[in-house]
Amino acid sequence: MFAGFDYGSANCAIGVMDGGQTRLLPLAEDGNYMPSTIYAMERELISESVLQRLPLAAQADFKPKRAAELSRARTARLELDLLANEQAVFIGNQAIETYMEMPEEGFYVRSPKSFLGASGLLSNQMALFEDIVTLMMQEIHTRAQQSLKQAISQVVIGRPVNFQGIGGEQSNKQAEAILTLGARRAGFTDVAFLYEPMAAALEFELTLTREQRVLVVDIGGGTSDCSFVRMGPELKDKKDRSDDCLGHSGQRVGGNDLDIALAMAGFMPHLGLGSALITGKPMPRQPFWNAVAVNDVSAQREFSALSSRKLIEELQRDAKEQAKLARLLKVQKDQLGYRLVRSAEQLKIALSDSKQAAMDIGFVEAPKPQPLTVNVDAATFVAAIDESLETVHKLITQALAEGGCQPDVIYLTGGSAKSPYITEQIRARFPDVVLVSGDHFGSVVAGLTRWAERLYR
C-alpha cells in the first residue's frame, strides 16, 4: 500500500487513495492532523523509544550506534523512578499537554522539521534529530496502519524547496537523508520526495478547465515555498512534470517565525524588552530573542545555559522595572519559551477574526502564576511580521523571474496563509491576478497522495 505523508512543521498528516479520492487517515483523537511536537522526561529516552519500536533485525544495527544514549536512558529511568514499560516520551497532543503540566522538568521540541538541514550540528545533535524524526514517523506509521488495517510500505514525503536559508543543497541533502532514514526505520521500504508547493499544485490542477500558469504560494509552519507551474486538464496525468515547472523558490520563514515575531512585539515588552537600566545602558535585545527563538538550535542552547540565567539576574538588578525582568528570569528557569510562542500562535489565530485580541500570559509571573492580560491589535501584528512577509514577496519574485512570465492564477495554501492580513498583502502586490485560497492544511498531503499513486501503482 502507498501513501502521501506531510511531515509538517506544525502538523503531520498522511493520506491514501480511496475510490479515486484522497482520504486522510486519523492521527489524533480529534482529527486527521497530529501536532509536530515531542516531549520526553529525558532526551535519551527518545532513543530508547525508537529502539523498542524497531524490529529485532534493525535493533541489532541500532544498539551500537546509540550505546551511550541507551545507557543514559537506563540511568534516567532509575533516577526518575520509572518502570521499564512506563511511558516517558509523548508525541503530538500528548506532548503538548505534558509540557503544559511540566514545562521545566522535561525535554520539549516543537516543529522538529525546522531544525532539519541546520549547519554546524554536532554528531550527538544529529543523532538526536534522527531519533526524533524516526520516533514521530514510527508513531504515525503505526497509527495509519491501525486505521487502515493494512500495511503501508511505499510513501511520498513532502519537502520544502529549501529546508534552511543557508547551507544550500548540502543542507537539503542532510535533511532528506534524515527523513529517509527515519521513514525506513519506521517501516516504509520505498521513499520518494516531492516539493510541497508542487504537491499542492497537483491537487489544485484538478479544478482547472483549461491550461493556466499557476503560482503556488505555500506558507507553512516552518517554510514558505513557491512553485510556478504550467497546469491544466490535459497535463494532469503526466508522470514527469519537469517541463511544466517554470520556477521554484523557498526559504525557512513561516508560521513559526510569525509567532516568534508576535511574541517579541506583543509579549516581550511586558518582560522588560525596551525598558530602561539604571546604568543608562540600553537593555540588550538578545536574551529576549533567544527566549522565543524556538526554531533556532543555537539560540535555545544559549538561553538555557547558566550564563544566560546570570546575565538576566544582572539585568534585573540594574533594571528600573525589576518585576518585568523577573518574568524573563522565570521563563529561563522554567523553560517557558515554547509556551510563550504557543500563546503568540493562539493570539495570531484570534487576530484573523478580529482587529484586536487579548491573551493571558500570567504563567510568566514570578514567583507564582497570576493573571497578566496582554492586548494586541492588528496593526502591531502586521508591523511585527513585516520582515517575514517581505521575504515571502521576494520568494514570489524569484519564482516568477525564473519563469520569465506572469501568472494567470496565484494559489495560496499553508496554515499561515489563512491570515487575512497576509492575503491582503499579496493581493495588493498582484491586483490583476486571480487569487485563490485552497485547503490550507490538506492540499499538500492530498497532492502527495496523488503523486504516490502515479509513482507506485
Side-chain angles (χ1 to χ4, degrees):
M1 184 69 183
F2 58 83
F5 187 176
D6 182 7
Y7 183 75
S9 299
N11 295 285
C12 296
I14 191 165
V16 296
M17 296 301 299
D18 185 359
Q21 301 297 317
T22 58
R23 176 166 67 92
L24 270 62
L25 300 178
L27 295 180
E29 300 77 9
D30 57 352
N32 300 323
Y33 299 95
M34 189 183 82
S36 300
T37 186
I38 190 167
Y39 180 97
M41 303 300 287
E42 291 287 347
R43 68 178 64 193
E44 290 79 13
L45 293 167
I46 296 173
S47 300
E48 178 196 72
S49 295
V50 170
L51 175 68
Q52 292 170 348
R53 293 168 182 246
L54 289 173
L56 290 177
Q59 286 185 12
D61 177 67
F62 184 79
K63 284 181 179 179
K65 293 178 179 178
R66 296 290 188 273
E69 288 83 355
L70 294 173
S71 176
R72 287 196 291 269
R74 289 190 291 270
T75 301
R77 279 197 174 272
L78 291 173
E79 292 176 346
L80 294 169
D81 198 23
L82 294 171
L83 300 175
N85 61 345
E86 190 172 351
Q87 185 176 2
V89 181
F90 306 86
I91 301 170
N93 287 322
Q94 273 195 337
I96 295 172
E97 292 167 3
T98 309
Y99 167 73
M100 297 291 278
E101 292 173 5
M102 303 181 294
E104 74 286 357
E105 294 181 20
F107 174 74
Y108 181 70
V109 176
R110 178 177 182 253
S111 304
K113 182 182 176 183
S114 298
F115 299 106
L116 297 183
S119 58
L121 294 179
L122 302 175
S123 59
N124 63 327
Q125 292 173 319
M126 281 286 290
L128 175 62
F129 289 135
E130 287 176 0
D131 291 352
I132 289 173
V133 170
T134 297
L135 185 58
M136 291 184 68
M137 287 189 168
Q138 287 174 324
E139 179 69 17
I140 289 166
H141 190 234
T142 298
R143 293 189 191 188
Q145 291 189 142
Q146 288 174 345
S147 172
L148 198 60
K149 295 180 174 57
Q150 187 175 348
I152 303 173
S153 59
Q154 299 170 310
V155 68
V156 173
I157 301 174
R159 56 151 287 185
V161 175
N162 290 301
F163 284 87
Q164 298 285 337
I166 57 176
E169 198 52 33
Q170 183 178 354
S171 289
N172 291 333
K173 288 179 179 178
Q174 178 215 93
E176 269 202 11
I178 291 175
L179 290 171
T180 301
L181 178 66
R184 287 184 174 149
R185 283 178 173 168
F188 296 106
T189 55
D190 297 321
V191 182
F193 293 92
L194 183 67
Y195 286 158
E196 289 160 354
M198 188 65 196
L202 294 175
E203 185 66 10
F204 176 63
E205 188 172 35
L206 298 176
T207 68
L208 298 179
T209 58
R210 58 186 175 87
E211 185 175 314
Q212 292 187 298
R213 296 185 299 270
V214 180
L215 175 67
V216 181
V217 181
D218 179 11
I219 308 176
T223 60
S224 292
D225 300 276
C226 300
S227 283
F228 191 19
V229 191
R230 188 183 298 107
M231 315 210 81
E234 296 180 356
L235 304 173
K236 64 182 179 64
D237 294 324
K238 291 172 63 177
K239 288 191 175 182
D240 183 356
R241 300 302 299 266
S242 55
D243 291 343
D244 301 322
C245 296
L246 305 174
H248 296 288
S249 62
Q251 192 169 326
R252 201 196 75 172
V253 57
N256 290 339
D257 299 275
L258 306 185
D259 301 337
I260 290 167
L262 184 56
M264 282 291 286
F267 298 157
M268 282 307 175
H270 298 272
L271 278 70
L273 180 63
S275 62
L277 294 169
I278 58 176
T279 61
K281 294 181 179 180
M283 182 71 69
R285 184 176 184 273
Q286 197 64 40
F288 299 91
W289 172 256
N290 289 346
V292 293
V294 295
N295 57 359
D296 186 321
V297 177
S298 298
Q300 288 297 286
R301 185 167 58 235
E302 183 177 338
F303 187 69
S304 63
L306 180 60
S307 57
S308 181
R309 181 177 302 184
K310 290 181 177 179
L311 172 61
I312 297 170
E313 288 172 343
E314 291 175 5
L315 293 174
Q316 184 184 15
R317 285 195 296 269
D318 292 340
K320 288 186 177 180
E321 298 176 273
Q322 293 187 350
K324 289 184 176 181
L325 271 297
R327 296 166 180 164
L328 181 63
L329 187 60
K330 183 176 176 64
V331 171
Q332 197 279 339
K333 288 181 176 180
D334 293 352
Q335 301 181 44
L336 297 173
Y338 281 103
R339 190 167 177 184
L340 271 175
V341 175
R342 179 172 169 79
S343 295
E345 179 186 19
Q346 294 170 336
L347 190 60
K348 177 188 70 177
I349 293 170
L351 286 169
S352 295
D353 300 319
S354 176
K355 294 292 183 181
Q356 186 163 328
M359 182 61 56
D360 180 11
I361 58 167
F363 56 86
V364 304
E365 288 284 26
K368 62 181 181 178
Q370 54 186 296
L372 175 60
T373 301
V374 175
N375 293 288
V376 177
D377 58 24
T380 300
F381 173 59
V382 172
I385 67 172
D386 180 69
E387 184 176 344
S388 295
L389 281 185
E390 190 57 37
T391 300
V392 173
H393 291 310
K394 288 178 180 177
L395 293 173
I396 291 174
T397 301
Q398 180 184 339
L400 295 180
E402 287 186 13
C405 55
Q406 290 299 298
D408 300 308
V409 178
I410 295 177
Y411 179 62
L412 270 180
T413 188
S416 298
K418 289 187 69 176
S419 169
Y421 305 106
I422 293 176
T423 303
E424 289 168 9
Q425 292 276 337
I426 294 175
R427 192 186 302 278
R429 299 280 183 113
F430 297 92
D432 300 324
V433 179
V434 176
L435 187 66
V436 178
S437 291
D439 182 346
H440 291 291
F441 296 104
S443 62
V444 169
V445 68
L448 293 171
T449 304
R450 292 191 183 279
W451 193 248
E453 181 181 38
R454 295 184 201 178
L455 285 185
Y456 299 125
R457 175 163 288 180

